[in-house]
Amino acid sequence: MEMLSDDEIAAARLADWRKLAQGLHARYLVESFAAAARFVTAVGEAGDAVGHHPSVAVGRGHVDLKLVSADAFYRDGEGTEHVVEWVTEQDLDLARRITAVAAEHGLRADPASVSVVELGLDTARSATIAPVWAALLTGDAESQGRGSPSDEVRDATGRVPNLWFGDAVEHEAPRQRFHVEVYVAPEVAEQRIAAAVAAGGTVVDDSDAPALTVIGDQDGNRGVVCVAGAPAPPD
C-alpha cells in the first residue's frame, strides 16, 4: 500500500493514536496483567481479521501498541518506487478496530505518554560506516537499509533504536556527531522542552519548530525534540 502523509494521518482523526517517527503509537491503561492479556488477545483477533498486526509491549499498568506497514511504498520525484516502513491505510483501519476493542474492554488511552527515541549520526560516509553500526547494534550487517531507501540501520525485532545518518562534511576540529531524537505527542512537546530548559538546558535552534527543536546541555551535547504530526482534531 502507498505510504500516507502526516496530513492524511491527522485527517483520520485517530484520537487514541499518535504518529511518531515511522509508525502509529498508542498506550492503553490497564488495572492488571490479566486485563492486559485479555486485551492483547482481543487485539490479536482484530488483527487476524484483517491480516495485519501491531507490535505489542505489556508494562506495569499499560499496554503499548505500534502500527506500521513493512511494505509501504512511495514514488520519488523521478517516478521510482521505494518500499519503506511507514503508515498505510491498513494501519489506520486496524487502529480504528483496536480503539473499538479498547472501548469494549473499558480501557482508557493515554496518547500524551507515548514516545519514541531514535539515534542520529552526522557523517559524510554513511555507506562506509553503516555496516559497522548495523552489526554492532543488531548483530547483522544486513540491517542496514532495511525498511528505508537510505543507509539507515533498523533492527527487525525492535530491540534497539533506529539509527539514521545525517549529511555532514568532514571537520578537522572535534565536534558532536551523535545526537538523540525524542519523538513525543504534539500536545506535550512544549512541556518537554520547558522541562529540559528548567533542568539547565538551552534551546539551541527552534527554526523548524514545532517539528524539530534542538536542545543543548551544559556540556554542549545536543538532542532534538521531534513532533511528527498534529494531534487528532476534536469531534
Side-chain angles (χ1 to χ4, degrees):
M1 291 188 177
E2 189 169 359
M3 65 180 289
L4 300 177
S5 68
D6 285 349
D7 288 343
E8 290 172 321
I9 295 168
R13 305 169 70 91
L14 302 175
D16 291 359
W17 300 78
R18 295 293 179 269
K19 164 67 165 49
L20 306 179
Q22 295 82 25
L24 293 175
H25 295 259
R27 168 168 289 187
Y28 290 97
L29 305 181
V30 295
E31 294 183 351
S32 66
F33 186 86
R38 290 192 294 269
F39 175 54
V40 170
T41 298
V43 167
E45 293 171 351
D48 289 343
V50 295
H52 187 50
H53 296 87
S55 299
V56 180
V58 177
R60 186 181 297 274
H62 64 265
V63 176
D64 287 345
L65 304 171
K66 175 185 177 181
L67 283 169
V68 67
S69 295
D71 56 353
F73 73 89
Y74 82 96
R75 296 181 181 86
D76 62 24
E78 298 178 353
T80 302
E81 287 190 0
H82 301 274
V83 177
V84 296
E85 289 184 349
W86 203 262
V87 177
T88 67
E89 285 289 347
Q90 70 177 351
D91 298 301
L92 301 186
D93 178 33
L94 185 52
R96 295 185 186 100
R97 291 170 182 259
I98 292 173
T99 295
V101 169
E104 292 171 358
H105 285 246
L107 302 183
R108 181 173 65 87
D110 185 14
S113 69
V114 297
S115 63
V116 171
V117 173
E118 294 193 341
L119 303 175
L121 176 56
D122 296 328
T123 177
R125 301 184 297 163
S126 62
T128 300
I129 69 174
V132 176
W133 286 103
L136 180 62
L137 291 173
T138 74
D140 181 7
E142 297 303 316
S143 295
Q144 172 195 350
R146 189 189 70 82
S148 169
S150 69
D151 297 316
E152 183 174 342
V153 176
R154 300 188 187 185
D155 178 22
T157 64
R159 293 168 297 176
V160 297
N162 292 343
L163 170 64
W164 66 271
F165 300 96
D167 293 331
V169 296
E170 293 295 337
H171 290 267
E172 293 184 4
R175 56 173 293 182
Q176 179 185 357
R177 290 185 178 273
F178 267 111
H179 60 271
V180 176
E181 295 200 337
V182 183
Y183 285 83
V184 299
E187 60 265 42
V188 300
E190 289 188 9
Q191 182 276 332
R192 186 66 63 93
I193 294 167
V197 171
T202 303
V203 175
V204 176
D205 184 358
D206 60 0
S207 59
D208 291 323
L212 304 171
T213 302
V214 182
I215 304 294
D217 68 12
Q218 295 89 331
D219 282 344
N221 302 304
R222 297 183 178 185
V224 186
V225 177
C226 305
V227 176
D235 291 326

